[in-house]
Amino acid sequence: VRMTTSADTKKLTGAPADFTAFIAAELAEDKAKNDAACTEKPQIYVEKLDPAGWAAGGHFIPQCGGYASLWARTGGTWKEVWSGQTLTDCKTLRKYAFPVGIAQKTCLQGDSEIAYQP
């Protein structure tokens, strides 16, 4: 699901209300960043969501690029727990107990790519 406005969070069918509010706040935060070189509207993509507390997607600004993100509900609140342009480190996936269906099938353990197993 691609979102460019807070109203777009309605596209997240089946998502918990606290997640849609979190994504709307993330989008507002991205829009508040003032970068003269990046004049296009920021976008957030949610590719996978487990309503129990995990999601995968990314942030993107046309003409300026983006990065992948993993979000988790921790301590009763959603937060971004990882972002980057490489494979996620296995330690982060395990720390937040990401289900295999949300996390990538592989992760980085040191410099090695290994199969992710929670």
Side-chain angles (χ1 to χ4, degrees), residues 46-88:
V46 175
E47 296 174 6
K48 299 176 185 176
L49 172 65
D50 181 328
W54 302 274
H59 294 251
F60 179 70
I61 299 175
Q63 90 197 72
C64 289
Y67 55 91
S69 297
L70 291 175
W71 303 287
R73 186 187 291 128
T74 178
T77 305
W78 284 92
K79 71 178 195 175
E80 185 174 76
V81 296
W82 179 87
S83 65
Q85 296 179 334
T86 62
L87 280 175
T88 310

Side-chain angles (χ1 to χ4, degrees), residues 8-10 14 16 25 28 33 36 40-41 47 49 57 70 75 91-92 94 99 114 117:
D8 288 341
T9 60
K10 292 178 184 173
K33 295 174 185 169
E40 301 273 338
K41 288 183 179 181
E47 296 174 6
L49 172 65
L70 291 175
K91 183 178 176 180
T92 298
R94 290 184 186 118
I114 65 169
Q117 297 176 1

